[in-house]
Amino acid sequence: MADALDVAVLTEWLKRAAATINARQAYLSELDAAIGDGDHGANLARGFNAVIAKLGTPADPAILFKTVGMTLIGTVGGASGPLYGSFFLEMAKAVQGSAALDAAAWPRVLAAGVAGVVARGKAEPGDKTMVDALAPAVAALNAAAPLADTLAASAAAARQGAEATVPMIARKGRASYLGERSAGHPDPGATSSAMLLAALAEAAG
Ligand code: ADP
Ligand code: MG
């Protein structure tokens, strides 16, 4: 069980994230087919496979996050590419100079990543986007808890946040073109965000 997120644990996170995205690629695209254009799973699988091919052995978390962000921006495409890219690039800035992030440091780092998504996409909670999974994941973190416990709570909050997008009417992204017809389906990006945070909790657990 890890007590801090160092390059080894973060690399394990990305490997698990890529494995999950590949395994759930069809499901994520199915969710996107219902309220978007059906490419979210394929977009992310392409991006995370490129990340794994590119990653190597980064010297520190900042370099790791920067490589992930740049690679996602360059390969994912769609709305989610620049959004997930901003997420990792803002985390790269927030971890500058740290070799490892413990439970006290992680809330600030994840919050910086989520702020990057919000700055780029301008979505608010309730708009039926990835922010509806990411914002609760930040809110659920407890700086004083053991790392594995706080990451598990954060991942559970993201999962609940993604499930809570079902009745929402999309106000951002492609799904917003559907208006009220976007209700009744989970948001694909919120679902993939919950998968990413689950992979992190597994990597540290
Ligand atoms: P595209 O919509 O261009 O096909 P994707 O299918 O890969 O891109 O990603 C769609 C997801 O992107 C949505 O489910 C939503 O979670 C997220 N998204 C779209 N626009 C925004 C936004 N402005 N802010 C936050 N997330 C967004
Ligand atoms: Mg799409």
Side-chain angles (χ1 to χ4, degrees):
M1 200 193 303
D3 58 7
L5 303 172
D6 58 12
V7 163
V9 179
L10 293 172
T11 299
E12 180 63 20
W13 173 21
L14 293 162
K15 288 185 177 164
R16 284 176 186 257
T20 303
I21 298 289
N22 280 311
R24 310 298 302 281
Q25 176 182 343
Y27 173 66
L28 290 171
S29 284
E30 216 173 275
L31 296 184
D32 194 33
I35 60 169
D37 58 356
D39 63 358
H40 189 60
N43 288 346
L44 288 189
R46 188 168 59 245
F48 278 87
N49 290 333
V51 164
I52 297 310
K54 191 96 187 240
L55 203 57
T57 46
D60 61 30
I63 291 172
L64 180 147
F65 283 137
K66 188 170 178 197
T67 303
V68 176
M70 297 300 287
T71 305
L72 293 179
I73 288 172
T75 56
V76 171
S80 62
L83 291 163
Y84 277 131
S86 297
F87 177 65
F88 284 100
L89 290 182
E90 288 305 318
M91 290 201 290
K93 288 187 203 160
V95 301
Q96 226 30 273
S98 307
L101 299 322
D102 62 12
W106 181 243
R108 185 181 56 78
V109 176
L110 186 65
V114 176
V117 173
V118 171
R120 174 156 292 272
K122 308 278 185 282
E124 289 171 16
D127 283 351
K128 196 178 180 100
T129 71
M130 58 177 69
V131 171
D132 290 308
L134 294 172
V138 173
L141 287 170
N142 176 358
L147 184 68
D149 294 357
T150 187
L151 292 181
S154 179
R159 162 64 41 211
Q160 282 159 19
E163 285 164 8
T165 64
V166 172
M168 291 176 186
I169 294 169
R171 285 192 290 258
K172 284 282 185 288
R174 218 176 265 282
S176 66
Y177 307 158
L178 290 183
E180 290 184 1
R181 281 182 296 134
S182 64
H185 306 274
D187 178 62
T191 306
S192 61
S193 287
M195 289 176 184
L196 294 187
L197 291 162
L200 175 62
E202 283 172 24

